[in-house]
Amino acid sequence: MNTNVEIGQVIEGKVTGIQPYGVFVAIDGDTQGLVHISEIMHGYVKDINDHLSVGDTVNVKVIQIDEEKGKISLSIRATEEAPKETAKQENVTKNNDSENDSGGFNILKDKLQDWIDQTQNK
C-alpha cells in the first residue's frame, strides 16, 4: 500500500459503500478506508442508513493503518466534539443535587444517625 495518509490526519472523503458493519470512504483517487459502525457517531447506531448515504461527503480521522493487509481504519466521530450530557444524565445529576431530594443516599445519610442511636439504646 502506497498512500500519503498518516494516523491522526483528518481528511475529507466520500462514502462509496455501506455495509451493516460500517461504511467505506474514498479518501483519494486510489485509497479507501473503513469507518466501523462504532465510529460513525457518538452514541448507538442501529442502522447506518439512518445517518449516511452513498455519495455523502464526510470528514474522517485516520485511526489505524495496516500496511500488510492494506487496510485503513477511519472514524467520523473522532472529528466531532462529544455531546456534553444527555437529558437522562442531566436529570440524574439534578435529582442527586436537589435539596428537596426525597430518595436515594440523602435519606440514608439522614437516617444513619437515628439507627445508630436506636441500637445503642437497646
Side-chain angles (χ1 to χ4, degrees), residues 24-38:
F24 291 95
V25 176
I27 52 179
D28 68 26
D30 300 324
T31 309
Q32 172 166 269
L34 175 69
V35 179
H36 186 267
I37 190 170
S38 65

Side-chain angles (χ1 to χ4, degrees), residues 21-66:
Y21 53 85
V23 297
F24 291 95
V25 176
I27 52 179
D28 68 26
D30 300 324
T31 309
Q32 172 166 269
L34 175 69
V35 179
H36 186 267
I37 190 170
S38 65
E39 294 293 332
I40 300 289
M41 63 179 288
H42 296 279
Y44 178 72
V45 175
K46 182 176 182 178
D47 185 355
I48 296 170
N49 294 295
D50 293 339
H51 304 279
L52 295 168
S53 300
V54 172
D56 285 353
T57 300
V58 293
N59 286 326
V60 293
K61 184 173 186 175
V62 179
I63 56 175
Q64 186 176 11
I65 299 172
D66 187 335

Side-chain angles (χ1 to χ4, degrees), residues 3 8 12-13 17 22-23 25-26 67 70 78 82 89 94 96 101 107 111:
T3 180
E12 186 175 277
V23 297
V25 176
E67 292 279 345
Q89 289 172 329
K94 286 178 187 173
N96 287 341
D101 193 2
I107 289 177
K111 293 288 185 181

Side-chain angles (χ1 to χ4, degrees), residues 3 6-7 13 30 56 81 90 92-93 101 108 114:
T3 180
E6 297 177 4
I7 293 175
D30 300 324
D56 285 353
E81 189 173 323
E90 289 174 6
V92 168
T93 302
D101 193 2
L108 289 174
D114 292 339

Side-chain angles (χ1 to χ4, degrees), residues 52-115:
L52 295 168
S53 300
V54 172
D56 285 353
T57 300
V58 293
N59 286 326
V60 293
K61 184 173 186 175
V62 179
I63 56 175
Q64 186 176 11
I65 299 172
D66 187 335
E67 292 279 345
E68 289 180 14
K69 295 182 181 178
K71 295 183 179 182
I72 299 175
S73 298
L74 305 170
S75 174
I76 295 171
R77 80 177 182 162
T79 66
E80 301 169 348
E81 189 173 323
K84 297 293 182 201
E85 284 189 348
T86 64
K88 185 176 181 180
Q89 289 172 329
E90 289 174 6
N91 288 337
V92 168
T93 302
K94 286 178 187 173
N95 287 340
N96 287 341
D97 291 343
S98 173
E99 290 181 20
N100 299 324
D101 193 2
S102 61
F105 292 108
N106 288 336
I107 289 177
L108 289 174
K109 179 184 76 171
D110 296 340
K111 293 288 185 181
L112 182 60
Q113 190 59 49
D114 292 339
W115 295 334

